[in-house]
Amino acid sequence: SLIANPGMASYEWTTGAQTPLINITNGGTYGVLVTDSNGCSGSGNFTVQISEMEIEFTREDPTCFGEDNGFIRIDEVKGGLEPYQLSWDGGLYGSANMLSPLSAGVYNLNILDAAGCEYDEDFNIYEGFELMLNHEEDQFIRFGDKVQINAQINIPDAQITNLTCRT
């Protein structure tokens, strides 16, 4: 919106509007001629630049299946007019640029700039990888016996750092 000094006798905007306030939806140059009750006039031109907001971010999924150690971090906001206010998943606006810890799901970010322009984006956080282990048929062993278990797994051996057997 652009507002000319209220209380004048007349307003003539280059858009054709004749009110003190006009709403701006496009960038460009806007001019206004104002006249007071004594017939004195003044004019002014305003250039409005509308800049789309863009973000740079880092997103990390949970390390393992069922965990909640993922995160989304906004590294930089470009465009718009500072300062920026961020709202995660419809919460209160603030300056928090990171949402964590996260489990799998869709998370929403809304950014509001100083001019009232908004940027909205959904982020997908994917489930961590589920390790599947298939073993041979059940074996019954007695305490102290040694057996070799031939397991089939669904990830490359090089990605396994530790396997633990729970009873």
Side-chain angles (χ1 to χ4, degrees):
S1 297
L2 292 176
I3 301 174
N5 192 19
M8 296 291 150
S10 70
Y11 305 87
E12 292 181 40
W13 290 92
T14 52
T15 62
Q18 296 182 340
T19 60
L21 170 80
I22 62 170
N23 290 318
I24 304 299
T25 56
N26 295 309
T29 301
Y30 296 85
V32 64
L33 172 67
V34 295
T35 305
D36 69 11
S37 58
N38 295 322
C40 298
S41 299
S43 64
N45 290 313
F46 309 92
T47 300
V48 176
Q49 291 181 333
I50 297 181
S51 175
E52 294 292 324
M53 282 187 273
E54 297 177 13
I55 62 169
E56 290 184 13
F57 64 92
T58 303
R59 179 191 65 77
E60 188 167 307
D61 297 325
T63 309
C64 296
F65 186 82
E67 291 188 352
D68 65 351
N69 58 355
F71 69 86
I72 304 164
R73 182 182 62 233
I74 306 306
D75 299 318
E76 184 177 6
V77 179
K78 297 177 182 177
L81 184 64
E82 293 184 42
Y84 307 107
Q85 297 290 310
L86 289 77
S87 170
W88 294 99
D89 286 330
L92 295 175
Y93 283 91
S95 59
N97 70 328
M98 186 167 171
L99 187 61
S100 72
L102 300 178
S103 57
V106 178
Y107 298 89
N108 178 262
L109 170 67
N110 183 271
I111 300 175
L112 182 65
D113 76 357
C117 297
E118 292 185 60
Y119 175 89
D120 196 73
E121 184 159 336
D122 288 333
F123 296 90
N124 287 306
I125 296 293
Y126 298 100
E127 187 68 72
F129 192 76
E130 183 173 19
L131 177 64
M132 303 295 288
L133 176 68
N134 294 322
H135 56 83
E136 298 173 343
E137 62 187 56
D138 288 344
Q139 296 181 18
F140 294 96
I141 58 172
R142 285 180 268 160
F143 185 71
D145 287 351
K146 292 182 181 182
V147 294
Q148 180 175 339
I149 298 174
N150 296 315
Q152 295 177 347
I153 52 177
N154 62 339
I155 62 173
D157 291 345
Q159 290 184 6
I160 298 176
T161 57
N162 186 29
L163 281 178
T164 303
C165 180
R166 295 186 192 138
T167 58

